[in-house]
Amino acid sequence: MTGDDATEPSLPQRWAPLTPGQLKAALVAFALLLLAGWNTLRIFLPALGWAAVFAISLWPWYADCRHRLPSRRRLLLPLGVTLLIVLMFVVPLILVGRALAQDSAAFALWLHDASAHGVAPPQFLSRLPQGGRLVAWWQAELGEPGVLARLTHGGPLSALPFDAGGRFIGAVLHSALLLLFTVLTLFFLLRDGEAIADGLRIAAVRAFGPPGERVGEQIVQAIRGTVNGLVVVGLGEGVLFWIAYSIAGAPHPALLGLVTGLLSAIPFGAVIAYAAAAALLAAGGEVGAGIGIAVFGSVVIFVADHFIRPALIGGTTRTPFLWVLLGILGGLEAWGLIGIVLGPALMAALLLLWREWTGVQEGPLNEHSLTQPEEPLRLD
């Protein structure tokens, strides 16, 4: 063995470079493993996604708590924050579900009674112009016994799933299972968040270089801005509508306010909620109160959707309101409810890449912004 051989030890067999054939086989095996893992976790992807959204949104505040309570960071702190999230979001959803179940039972009794005796005309019909004719039409079309049976058997309401009780129970159990895994995943993400974030950052840099890390940070900021906009605005709208419903004398004002706040996360969801409350008031004879709720709700939703929510969502990532709105609507259509958060995040990442690529913003894809003086073009 020569001196040069002694200074260059042979590479261990387990670290030997792969041959071209072995590299192709490894890539195929890796792709198959990813496909198998995706298929295994596919049913739990919504739970994992919502847990990641909550963890990303809470992380700045949670990191400050970790700094203040370093001895509780492995168990008590993540457990306490997870329970706090359950109290803030899960318990209201359970209360809404319980109220909906009670109302569904009352609706079933009303449906049975209406099918047997007909539907009585509401009182406000007689006070409208041509009220006598409207009441007479109602009595002829809906006031006779058995009219609902004709509507639900071959009529315009025959397509409604009145017999979908079993499917409803199955959907509730499925949602409860996903909710349980969301809470469980959130606990582990909070406990091991630093290690997970470091791993994702290293993977992004190795795969895409500095632009990968920049895009990841932009997506994180967009998720935080979107969640803050939805949650803060939703809570504010829920409180305002609760007060308005109480003043107007709407039935179950707290429940209606909670439902309005929850539906405000969905485009036009709050409009449906306060329109239903206004219709209930009008049907009970309180036409003025119903009109007041409709006007008040329109003003609140206009201000929230056109000024407050875009400032909270778009301000953190400099995303124009149009792209935020398109991201929310398109994400809801493409990804379901979680698309409300993913849509604006994807729009923010795409806009960042576009700004850097076109030179509007300085970054790894384009180190020189067009706003900076350029050197004259040299042809020699």
Side-chain angles (χ1 to χ4, degrees):
M1 179 180 295
T2 62
D4 293 339
D5 294 335
T7 58
E8 297 179 1
S10 61
L11 195 64
Q13 185 64 31
R14 65 180 183 274
W15 301 113
L18 298 177
T19 64
Q22 290 174 334
L23 181 60
K24 293 179 180 179
L27 292 176
V28 171
F30 182 67
L32 291 176
L33 284 175
L34 284 179
L35 183 61
W38 174 273
N39 191 54
T40 302
L41 299 176
R42 180 164 48 91
I43 189 176
F44 299 108
L45 288 179
L48 299 178
W50 279 114
V53 166
F54 278 110
I56 291 173
S57 304
L58 293 171
W59 191 257
W61 170 75
Y62 180 75
D64 184 65
C65 294
R66 285 166 61 98
H67 179 71
R68 296 175 182 272
L69 302 171
S71 60
R72 304 289 189 266
R73 60 191 303 174
R74 291 298 298 173
L75 179 60
L76 293 181
L77 185 58
L79 181 60
V81 173
T82 303
L83 293 178
L84 179 63
I85 295 299
V86 170
L87 292 176
M88 290 180 60
F89 294 96
V90 177
V91 172
L93 289 177
I94 293 176
L95 294 177
V96 171
R98 181 182 177 184
L100 290 177
Q102 294 175 351
D103 292 340
S104 299
F107 175 74
L109 292 176
W110 175 87
L111 192 65
H112 180 270
D113 182 73
S115 180
H117 304 96
V119 182
Q123 297 179 357
F124 72 91
L125 275 183
S126 61
R127 294 191 291 268
L128 296 177
Q130 303 294 325
R133 293 184 178 181
L134 292 175
V135 171
W137 173 87
W138 187 286
Q139 288 285 5
E141 297 294 333
L142 299 175
E144 296 296 330
V147 63
L148 290 183
R150 294 194 300 269
L151 292 175
T152 56
H153 292 83
L157 300 181
S158 59
L160 294 178
F162 290 107
D163 57 345
R167 285 181 292 173
F168 176 75
I169 294 176
V172 170
L173 293 178
H174 177 72
S175 300
L177 180 64
L178 291 181
L179 187 61
L180 175 63
F181 277 95
T182 300
V183 173
L184 185 63
T185 305
L186 177 61
F187 168 77
F188 286 105
L189 287 179
L190 292 176
R191 193 191 69 173
D192 304 322
E194 287 185 350
I196 295 174
D198 290 340
L200 292 175
R201 188 179 298 109
I202 293 173
V205 172
R206 291 194 62 184
F208 307 106
E213 186 176 5
R214 286 283 301 276
V215 170
E217 292 176 354
Q218 186 80 350
I219 291 176
V220 168
Q221 293 297 327
I223 290 176
R224 286 175 183 161
T226 304
V227 172
N228 291 336
L230 295 177
V231 172
V232 172
V233 175
L235 290 176
E237 288 182 0
V239 173
L240 290 177
F241 277 103
W242 170 40
I243 297 173
Y245 294 151
S246 300
I247 296 175
H252 310 291
L255 178 61
L256 285 176
L258 178 61
V259 172
T260 306
L262 293 175
L263 290 180
S264 67
I266 304 173
F268 309 109
V271 176
I272 298 175
Y274 76 74
L280 288 175
L281 288 170
E286 301 292 338
V287 179
I291 295 175
I293 287 294
V295 173
F296 174 79
S298 300
V299 173
V300 170
I301 297 302
F302 179 82
V303 173
D305 289 349
H306 290 82
F307 298 100
I308 300 177
R309 199 187 304 272
L312 291 175
I313 296 177
T316 56
T317 56
R318 296 195 303 117
T319 305
F321 168 71
L322 175 63
W323 293 107
V324 173
L325 181 61
L326 293 177
I328 292 176
L329 296 176
L332 185 65
E333 175 67 23
W335 307 99
L337 189 59
I338 198 173
I340 297 176
V341 179
L342 293 183
L346 293 175
M347 292 298 102
L350 290 174
L351 283 175
L352 172 66
L353 294 176
W354 175 256
R355 288 165 177 161
E356 292 187 2
W357 182 260
T358 57
V360 176
Q361 179 175 335
E362 185 178 353
L365 295 181
N366 194 336
E367 296 181 357
H368 301 286
S369 174
L370 293 180
T371 58
Q372 297 176 350
E374 297 182 351
E375 296 181 1
L377 181 63
R378 299 184 60 181
L379 302 178
D380 55 343

